[in-house]
Amino acid sequence: MLTSFLTLLSFGCLTGITTVFFGFGGGFVAVPVVYGVLTAAARPGPDAMHVAVATSAAVMTVNAVAATLAQWRAGRLRHADLRPLAAFITIGAAAGSLASTVIGGTELRVLFVVYLLVTIADSLLRKGFLSPELRTPPEPLGRGTTTFGGMGIGLVAAALGVGGSVMTVPLLRRRGHPMAEATAMAGPLSVPVALAGTLVYALTPAATAGWGRFGYVDLTAGAALLLGSLPTIAAVRRAPGRVPDRVHSVAYVLLLLAVLIVMTVMDA
């Protein structure tokens, strides 16, 4: 029990770093970690992946709000791009959260891995992410991208508990935003996804409900992750602006590769 708590606390610190530097409110770290802790404790059950996704969404809600406040104070948020996207992401997130509760745990895990593969391939093979043409001001988002792209981001991100930053960051990057700015805006755009997912999962009767659970949300695991992440967010909130843009974008892809490897071998 203590080992599990310390593991979650340690990875909570990592989610704080990824939240500030990459816009990941915790999903890409929290999902495999919570799933791994449940598996190591010999109690994965049929709902382990749902619990991991639900707990990730709850952690992301808090982390994304904390990071948004920090980035707003740093002046890295462009409200003209945020407002229209946020509304359609919220619509998609509500649908994605409901859909995820009827997808089997194994299928959910496979979709998570496929999502990572597609994102990594897109970042490496398509121009505009690793070496973008930075513009001042950045190119505005079109109506079609805002509407259908926003709903698609919300749908996929909420279903997999990943917040949407892996789609919003490349999108904003290819519109000419520097990496520090694109990742900063991923925070507020993750809030509606995380909140919708948390509410749906918390209010869905879990098949194996037990002590410390609110629906599918594991309150103990979530608390341990937040104990690590929130102080870390406060400590590193000013650091992204000091990282060279190219280094920042390469590190983003490397982190996704690391999570892909973990999720692929976890049950091997």
Side-chain angles (χ1 to χ4, degrees):
M1 186 70 177
L2 178 60
T3 301
S4 297
F5 181 83
L6 292 176
T7 299
L8 290 165
L9 183 67
S10 299
F11 278 96
C13 295
L14 181 58
T15 68
I17 293 172
T18 61
T19 297
V20 174
F21 278 89
F22 306 111
F24 303 160
F28 279 108
V29 176
V31 170
V33 169
V34 174
Y35 182 82
V37 166
L38 291 174
T39 302
R43 55 186 180 91
D47 297 329
M49 193 61 186
H50 288 99
V51 172
V53 171
T55 305
S56 165
V59 170
M60 273 194 297
T61 302
V62 180
N63 282 350
V65 169
T68 297
L69 292 173
Q71 301 291 9
W72 174 67
R73 294 189 186 106
R76 296 194 186 103
L77 304 182
R78 289 181 177 268
H79 299 286
D81 289 324
L82 287 174
R83 280 192 294 268
L85 259 182
F88 290 105
I89 284 176
T90 302
I91 295 171
S97 299
L98 290 170
S100 66
T101 62
V102 298
I103 300 174
T106 300
E107 290 78 8
L108 196 60
R109 184 169 172 272
V110 170
L111 288 172
F112 189 90
V113 171
V114 170
Y115 177 69
L116 279 169
L117 279 169
V118 171
T119 302
I120 293 167
D122 180 71
S123 299
L124 292 175
L125 300 177
R126 282 181 63 199
K127 293 181 179 180
F129 183 77
L130 293 178
S131 299
E133 181 184 341
L134 301 180
R135 307 181 187 94
T136 305
E139 181 183 345
L141 299 173
R143 181 173 296 180
T145 300
T146 299
T147 304
F148 299 106
M151 287 192 289
I153 289 169
L155 179 71
V156 175
L160 301 181
V162 294
S165 59
V166 176
M167 286 178 282
T168 58
V169 171
L171 174 63
L172 295 170
R173 185 87 166 136
R174 291 189 174 97
R175 297 289 174 168
H177 290 269
M179 194 68 182
E181 196 172 89
T183 54
M185 291 198 290
L189 292 175
S190 292
V191 173
V193 173
L195 186 58
T198 301
L199 289 174
V200 169
Y201 270 117
L203 298 176
T204 299
T208 55
W211 185 87
R213 291 265 294 273
F214 185 19
Y216 280 114
V217 179
D218 190 314
L219 300 176
T220 303
L225 288 166
L226 288 172
L227 280 173
S229 66
L230 292 177
T232 305
I233 290 173
V236 303
R237 66 186 185 278
R238 294 189 179 91
R242 302 169 190 159
V243 179
D245 192 79
R246 174 73 175 183
V247 173
H248 202 166
S249 61
V250 170
Y252 185 95
V253 177
L254 289 176
L255 178 62
L256 294 182
L257 281 169
V259 177
L260 174 63
I261 292 170
V262 170
M263 289 299 293
T264 302
V265 305
M266 194 166 286
D267 284 342

